[in-house]
């Protein structure tokens, strides 16, 4: 039977009845956000007892591995299932070929080993991309004209993937948007015996202006300069194209897919989830976080927007959300319960 709003007529149907009391609002709530839905992105830097605030992301810090472990203990206590790890690569380690990306003793690899040793129950998601390691800030290896070369880049990404799997990463997350990289990664992981290493593919990653604070946090903004990533990240005007990207990554062996950014792209999240019915993750990116934090700090919005924004992402179809609000949200959810 099709839904006909005309069949529900006032006053026989008073839609406010179910909103009158807290108990009935809770009983009919369609979308529930829990700590299980949250993934906390973390920035790790070299050294010991090192802590650096990210100016454009109030409340977010770059941490050395020893302090990252302290942070991880809090995440476990809050019930947050996983972290997404992003290394801050020293300038001296950056190069045109991004060789540091697959250094077995690189920062991401050492942080992964430390996290898995100390907190084996905490999922570790590693970023598979070359932009933190290139002198130009692009996500791949470039030619003389500055164009990112697809197939050569994929070869480097495969080496990076294997180094992360060998370090103990539970999930490798290619965020580069190169064609064919998921299939190459999956074949290499299978051949190396890493059959349970999951792939979270950034399948619908848009060439967005919302990434600025993140690039500051990982130190790639200065390298990228006035350059952009429009030749490989998706055009914000496109929607159908996202379905093709997701379909290709699933066919190549992705276990989960990502839509990035979050709230400005909820139509994409909904279309992807409705079309494919696969685990769909969303990244509430640095720009979204910075805007909310600025509004909260200035008293323009209350901190209730944190859970509201995350619930909106979940309502659109997200199964999990990468968010810098993960700790705050987990605390708010605990208090509300």
């Amino acid at each position: 039977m099709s839904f006909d709003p005309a069949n529900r007529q006032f006053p026989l149907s008073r839609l406010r009845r179910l909103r009158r009391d807290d108990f009935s609002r809770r009983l009919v709530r369609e979308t529930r956000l829990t700590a299980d839905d949250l993934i906390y992105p973390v920035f790790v830097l070299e050294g010991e007892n090192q802590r650096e605030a990210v100016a454009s992301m109030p409340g977010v810090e770059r941490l050395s591995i020893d302090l990252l472990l302290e942070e991880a203990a809090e995440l476990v206590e809050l019930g947050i299932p996983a972290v997404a790890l992003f290394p801050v690569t020293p300038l001296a380690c950056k190069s045109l070929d991004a060789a540091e990306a697959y250094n077995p003793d690189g920062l991401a690899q050492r942080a992964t080993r430390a996290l898995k040793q100390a907190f084996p129950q905490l999922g570790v998601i590693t970023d598979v991309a070359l932009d933190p390691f290139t002198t130009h800030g692009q996500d791949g290896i470039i030619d003389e004209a500055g164009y990112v070369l697809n197939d050569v880049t994929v070869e480097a990404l495969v080496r990076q993937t294997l180094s992360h799997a060998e370090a103990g990463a539970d999930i490798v997350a290619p965020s580069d948007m190169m064609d064919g990289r998921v299939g190459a990664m999956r074949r290499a992981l299978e051949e190396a015996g890493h059959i349970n290493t999951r792939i979270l593919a950034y399948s619908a990653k848009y060439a967005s202006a919302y990434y600025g604070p993140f690039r500051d946090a990982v130190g790639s903004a200065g390298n990228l300069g006035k350059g952009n990533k429009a030749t490989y990240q998706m055009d914000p005007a496109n929607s159908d194209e996202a379905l093709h990207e997701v379909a290709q990554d699933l066919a190549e062996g992705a276990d989960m897919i990502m839509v990035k950014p979050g709230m400005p792209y909820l139509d994409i999240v909904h279309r992807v989830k409705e079309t494919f019915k696969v685990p769909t993750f969303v990244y509430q990116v640095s720009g979204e976080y910075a805007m909310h934090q600025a509004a909260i700090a200035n008293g323009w919005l209350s901190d209730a927007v944190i859970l509201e924004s995350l619930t909106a992402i979940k309502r659109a179809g997200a199964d999990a959300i990468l968010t810098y609000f993960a700790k705050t949200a987990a605390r708010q959810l605990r208090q509300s319960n």
Side-chain angles (χ1 to χ4, degrees):
M1 183 176 67
S2 62
F3 172 65
D4 183 1
N7 291 336
R8 304 199 69 180
Q9 298 180 11
F10 178 86
L12 297 179
S13 178
R14 290 180 180 265
L15 296 178
R16 288 183 56 193
R17 286 192 193 112
L18 291 174
R19 301 179 200 144
R20 185 185 187 281
D21 298 301
D22 177 68
F23 82 85
S24 57
R25 291 194 297 270
R26 288 161 52 202
L27 284 171
V28 300
R29 187 162 293 147
E30 299 172 24
T31 302
R32 297 188 183 278
L33 180 75
T34 74
D36 291 341
D37 302 314
L38 306 175
I39 297 167
Y40 191 47
V42 294
F43 301 105
V44 60
L45 47 71
E46 292 284 5
E48 293 184 6
N49 198 32
Q50 297 297 305
R51 184 189 302 272
E52 295 178 355
V54 180
S56 55
M57 299 176 68
V60 173
E61 296 178 312
R62 309 176 189 93
L63 301 172
S64 53
I65 293 174
D66 55 326
L67 298 184
L68 176 61
L69 295 179
E70 295 179 10
E71 185 94 322
E74 182 180 6
L75 299 176
V76 170
E77 193 279 327
L78 287 168
I80 294 170
V83 296
L85 190 61
F86 297 97
V88 182
T89 307
L91 185 59
C93 295
K94 298 187 179 188
S95 62
L96 286 172
D97 63 1
E100 183 65 16
Y102 44 85
N103 177 359
D105 292 315
L107 182 57
Q109 290 83 350
R110 282 182 280 122
T112 298
R113 286 194 289 269
L115 284 167
K116 292 310 298 181
Q117 182 175 0
F119 302 100
Q121 73 273 44
L122 183 66
V124 175
I125 304 170
T126 57
D127 182 47
V128 177
L130 303 186
D131 53 322
F133 308 97
T134 57
T135 51
H136 43 71
Q138 295 287 355
D139 289 48
I141 297 169
I142 59 174
D143 63 15
E144 294 179 358
Y147 182 76
V148 174
L149 300 167
N150 194 91
D151 296 0
V152 174
T153 297
V154 168
E155 292 176 9
L157 295 172
V158 167
R159 298 179 71 175
Q160 184 181 23
T161 296
L162 290 174
S163 74
H164 289 180
E166 288 160 6
D170 299 292
I171 301 173
V172 290
S175 62
D176 56 286
M177 289 297 288
M178 297 298 112
D179 291 335
R181 89 278 204 210
V182 171
M185 291 168 58
R186 175 57 70 205
R187 289 188 294 273
L189 288 168
E190 289 287 322
E191 290 170 4
H194 299 296
I195 61 172
N196 290 317
T197 302
R198 283 136 282 189
I199 296 177
L200 166 58
Y202 285 62
S203 300
K205 181 177 180 180
Y206 285 83
S208 172
Y210 284 95
Y211 303 150
F214 174 91
R215 291 170 183 164
D216 289 338
V218 297
S220 65
N223 300 101
L224 185 61
K226 295 182 179 180
N228 63 65
K229 304 187 178 185
T231 66
Y232 47 97
Q233 294 179 357
M234 284 185 56
D235 185 338
N238 292 356
S239 176
D240 291 345
E241 184 182 13
L243 303 184
H244 292 283
E245 288 281 1
V246 170
Q248 183 167 318
D249 286 349
L250 290 172
E252 292 180 8
D255 301 287
M256 303 155 283
I257 61 91
M258 178 94 80
V259 176
K260 180 181 179 183
M263 283 186 67
Y265 293 83
L266 294 188
D267 60 318
I268 307 301
V269 177
H270 184 70
R271 287 195 71 189
V272 165
K273 186 62 176 180
E274 286 296 297
T275 301
F276 296 100
K277 305 287 195 272
V278 297
T280 302
F281 289 17
V282 174
Y283 203 141
Q284 185 184 50
V285 298
S286 59
E288 297 174 71
Y289 172 85
M291 289 191 303
H292 281 108
Q293 283 289 64
I296 293 168
N298 281 282
W300 300 330
L301 295 173
S302 76
D303 64 3
V305 300
I306 295 172
L307 292 186
E308 182 180 347
S309 66
L310 295 172
T311 300
I313 295 171
K314 182 82 186 291
R315 187 187 67 234
D319 297 290
I321 307 166
L322 282 79
T323 176
Y324 304 96
F325 284 123
K327 289 193 299 180
T328 302
R331 294 190 196 103
Q332 289 181 348
L333 288 166
R334 182 173 288 182
Q335 290 170 359
S336 68
N337 292 332

